[in-house]
Amino acid sequence: MFPRSAAPRGRSAHSHGSYPPPAVPRYYDYSHQRAAGVNSFHVPGPEMLPVYEWKPTPPMPRIPPPHTSTMINGRKRSRDEYSPYVLKRQRLESSSRPLISSSPIQTPPLLHLPDQEVAGSSRSAFTRNDRSYHSPHSHLHPQVSVIPEDPNSLQVYAKDKLSGQMVELFEACQQQSSDLVQKEMCRTRLQQAVQGVYAVGRLYLTGSSMNGLGCRSSDADLCLVLKGNKRHDPIQVLSVLQRLFKSLSYVERTQLIRAKVPILRFREKGSDLEFDLNVNNTVGIRNTFLLRSYAYADIRIRPIILVVKKWAHHHQINDASKGTLSSYTLVLMVLHYLQTRDAPVLPSLQRDYPECFNPLLDINAIPEGPKHIPPYISRNQSSLGDLLLGFLKYYATDFRWDKQVISVREARALPKNHSKEWRNKFMCIEEPFERNNVARAVHERVKFDAIKAQFVESWRILQKRKDLNSILPVRAIINKESSKR
C-alpha cells in the first residue's frame, strides 16, 4: 500500500475526459474491501488481455474534533450516523457488482461475527462453502467490555487532541478516488501503447496507489509483466519503452534509472503525476495485496501509517536512495509494532491464512486470496495517539536492532543470525515474500544513528506535549497536499 469520487456506477472511468475507452476489453479486478471483498483476475482467454477494473474504496466518514458536535441542517449529528454498518453497507454496495465475465463472481454478504473468540481478537467462523451469512444489522454482539462498541469508526480512537490531529491529517492527505481514477486512466492508455511492442505484456498498477496507503501526492508504481519462456532483460525492455514513451503525446520527462530493480520514471504531461515502471518485479504485486489486506484489517491502520510516513519524510529519514528508510520499510515497521502488542492490533495474515498469500501463486490468482479472509476485530482499544507514541517508543528504546529481525510474516521479532542477509546490517527487516532485507539501504552507521536519534527525540517531545505539531508541521502538510492535482 491504497479514496474525491469515482466514475458513476455502470459507466467506465474512461467514458469522460481526454482518455478514450480501450479498443479491446481488458478486465481484471483489483478490488479488495474489508470483510466482504472480492479480488479476482478473470482471464477471458489467451488471445485477449484481461480487462482491468478498479472499484474505489468508500471514503471514511469525517470525524468531528474532540468534544464538539457536528451540526447538519441545524441539528446535531446522531451517533447512528457514525455507525459502522453505514460504512459496511457502502463497502458492500461498492463491491457487490458481478464481474463482467462468463462466470460472474458474487460478493457474499458481511460475515457473521460469533461470540467465540481467539486470543487477542474476535474472528468470524468461516468456511469457503458456508453461505449462511447474516445481515450487517443482525447478530453483531461483541463483548463490550473487551471490544470497542463501534470498532469501525475512527471516532472511537480519536477522542483526544493528538488522535484528532492524526485523523485531520489523514482525511486531508489520503488518496482520493479521483486521484486513483487519474492513475488508472493513464495506465489504461499506456497498456494499449505497450501492447503494440509487447503483445503479451500486462501493465499492473501497484504500490501505495493500490494498497490503500497512498496520499494525494503519491506517485504511481507500475509493473509490466512479460510472461513466456523467453527471459527478458529489464534494462533492455525499459530502453525500448523509453523510446516508445518519448513518442507519446501524454508522456514527458522519461528517465531510465539503473537501480537494483531498474525503473523507467516518467510524468504524465500536464499534471504532477509521476510514474515508476518496473519489469517482472511481481513481488510488488504480491505485497500490494498483502499490505492492502492489512490496511483494511483495522480502521486505525491507514491513519497511523500515513502520519508515520509524513513524519519520516519531514525529518528526512524516508529516502532509500540516500541511505535511509523506504516507505515500504516504514509500513512494515508499523505493522510489526501493531502485531507485537500485548493485545495485538493485527494478526499475521500469512501465518493464519498461508493459502491466501502463497508466494508461488500464479500472478492471475494473487487477488483471489484475500477474499477468503474473515474480519479481524482486535481487543486492543488504544487510541491513534497512544499507538503513535508507542510506535516511536518501541523503536527508540525497546527493539534490539543489534539482535533482532522484524518479521511481519511471523508477527514477531526473529533472532538475528549470521546469514549473509543479516550479518553486519544495522537494520534487519524481512520482506514478507522474498525474505530478504528491505532495510539494506541503511548501510552507514551515521545514517542508522540519525534514524534512531529521530525516533528518540520525537518520542520525547510528543510524550511531553501530546501535540502532533510538535513533531510535524500539520497545517503546512495539509496545505501542500491540498494543492496537489
Side-chain angles (χ1 to χ4, degrees):
M1 86 185 82
F2 32 62
R4 277 173 270 193
S5 63
R9 183 173 299 180
R11 293 174 56 194
S12 167
H14 311 292
S15 61
H16 60 276
S18 59
Y19 296 88
V24 179
R26 297 175 176 83
Y27 188 92
Y28 53 84
D29 178 66
Y30 251 172
S31 170
H32 176 203
Q33 308 293 344
R34 182 171 176 239
V38 171
N39 297 273
S40 64
F41 289 93
H42 170 68
V43 185
E47 74 288 350
M48 184 185 299
L49 286 178
V51 179
Y52 180 115
E53 180 189 9
W54 165 72
K55 293 195 285 290
T57 301
M60 293 185 180
R62 293 192 63 83
I63 309 301
H67 314 301
T68 64
S69 297
T70 301
M71 303 295 291
I72 299 181
N73 297 329
R75 64 178 177 84
K76 289 185 178 179
R77 182 190 293 270
S78 68
R79 181 173 180 80
D80 289 343
E81 293 181 63
Y82 288 108
S83 167
Y85 308 132
V86 175
L87 187 59
K88 288 178 179 176
R89 284 201 305 273
Q90 291 172 344
R91 288 173 177 154
L92 287 169
E93 290 165 2
S94 70
S95 62
S96 60
R97 290 181 295 147
L99 302 183
I100 305 172
S101 69
S102 57
S103 301
I105 300 175
Q106 300 293 337
T107 301
L110 185 68
L111 300 176
H112 170 50
L113 300 177
D115 294 333
Q116 183 179 2
E117 298 176 349
V118 297
S121 69
S122 172
R123 288 182 180 275
S124 63
F126 183 88
T127 60
R128 296 189 186 184
N129 296 322
D130 181 19
R131 288 297 177 263
S132 58
Y133 300 111
H134 296 263
S135 162
H137 294 276
S138 64
H139 307 298
L140 292 172
H141 301 295
Q143 297 180 10
V144 177
S145 60
V146 176
I147 299 172
E149 179 184 352
D150 192 352
N152 286 308
S153 172
L154 270 177
Q155 189 180 31
V156 173
Y157 308 107
K159 294 180 178 179
D160 58 273
K161 177 181 176 180
L162 175 58
S163 300
Q165 290 172 321
M166 293 175 67
V167 172
E168 180 187 16
L169 185 64
F170 169 69
E171 289 184 335
C173 298
Q174 66 172 320
Q175 178 176 263
Q176 303 295 307
S177 297
S178 59
D179 302 327
L180 190 47
V181 166
Q182 180 186 3
K183 294 173 182 179
E184 167 57 16
M185 290 167 74
C186 191
R187 184 213 64 85
T188 303
R189 214 176 183 190
L190 289 168
Q191 171 72 81
Q192 293 178 292
V194 169
Q195 193 180 359
V197 180
Y198 296 104
V200 298
R202 296 176 184 176
L203 208 55
Y204 296 77
L205 190 60
T206 65
S208 63
S209 297
M210 288 302 304
N211 65 22
L213 302 173
C215 303
R216 300 221 64 192
S217 58
S218 294
D219 297 334
D221 295 312
L222 295 170
C223 178
L224 175 63
V225 177
L226 299 174
K227 287 191 173 183
N229 297 326
K230 181 180 178 181
R231 181 164 184 164
H232 297 274
D233 174 43
I235 294 293
Q236 181 181 3
V237 173
L238 293 177
S239 297
V240 171
L241 293 182
Q242 184 177 28
R243 291 192 294 272
L244 171 65
F245 287 6
K246 285 182 178 180
S247 70
L248 302 178
S249 61
Y250 52 92
V251 173
E252 63 181 1
R253 302 185 188 181
T254 59
Q255 178 186 7
L256 179 57
I257 299 176
R258 300 170 183 264
K260 182 174 183 180
V261 177
I263 61 172
L264 181 62
R265 179 166 293 168
F266 57 94
R267 180 172 292 189
E268 181 187 41
K269 187 172 292 187
S271 75
D272 293 327
L273 182 55
E274 192 169 76
F275 289 84
D276 286 345
L277 188 155
N278 67 70
V279 178
N280 284 341
N281 185 34
T282 54
V283 69
I285 301 175
R286 298 184 191 280
N287 63 49
T288 291
F289 282 93
L290 176 65
L291 295 192
R292 186 170 178 83
S293 299
Y294 279 119
Y296 291 99
D298 187 284
I299 202 168
R300 293 167 288 182
I301 307 305
R302 296 170 66 220
I304 189 174
I305 287 178
L306 185 144
V307 171
V308 166
K309 290 201 292 187
K310 291 297 184 185
W311 165 80
H313 181 75
H314 174 70
H315 291 284
Q316 299 180 344
I317 58 171
N318 180 206
D319 191 342
S321 69
K322 297 181 180 178
T324 57
L325 304 169
S326 69
S327 293
Y328 183 40
T329 299
L330 284 165
V331 170
L332 294 179
M333 290 174 68
V334 175
L335 296 180
H336 167 76
Y337 163 73
L338 297 174
Q339 289 174 326
T340 55
R341 301 306 82 218
D342 290 337
V345 178
L346 290 171
S348 165
L349 294 178
Q350 286 171 285
R351 183 187 61 201
D352 294 352
Y353 305 98
E355 72 284 0
C356 298
F357 299 101
N358 188 325
L360 300 179
L361 275 177
D362 183 82
I363 195 74
N364 291 333
I366 290 173
E368 288 290 335
K371 75 176 183 180
H372 299 301
I373 299 174
Y376 180 86
I377 300 179
S378 171
R379 292 172 181 246
N380 189 310
Q381 300 185 51
S382 298
S383 69
L384 283 166
D386 285 343
L387 290 178
L388 178 60
L389 275 166
F391 168 78
L392 294 172
K393 179 181 184 296
Y394 180 70
Y395 290 111
T397 66
D398 299 343
F399 189 80
R400 296 294 304 273
W401 290 107
D402 58 332
K403 295 184 177 181
Q404 293 178 313
V405 176
I406 289 174
S407 176
V408 170
R409 176 180 57 87
E410 291 283 347
R412 63 189 178 99
L414 303 177
K416 187 176 179 181
N417 58 36
H418 295 288
S419 67
K420 181 180 179 181
E421 200 63 60
W422 314 122
R423 187 174 62 246
N424 300 324
K425 302 297 191 299
F426 295 112
M427 302 182 76
C428 298
I429 303 176
E430 180 191 66
E431 206 290 321
F433 291 101
E434 296 189 329
R435 304 191 188 182
N436 54 15
N437 186 11
V438 299
R440 58 184 174 270
V442 186
H443 56 82
E444 298 178 25
R445 166 65 69 176
V446 65
K447 296 293 178 65
F448 170 70
D449 289 343
I451 291 169
K452 188 169 181 182
Q454 194 56 64
F455 273 93
V456 172
E457 180 68 4
S458 292
W459 171 58
R460 182 187 66 79
I461 294 173
L462 194 61
Q463 184 183 39
K464 180 179 180 180
R465 301 185 188 177
K466 302 295 196 304
D467 183 345
L468 191 59
N469 289 291
S470 64
I471 63 169
L472 199 59
V474 175
R475 185 52 49 191
I477 292 174
I478 289 175
N479 291 340
K480 183 177 180 179
E481 287 282 349
S482 299
S483 67
K484 294 292 181 182
R485 289 189 282 280

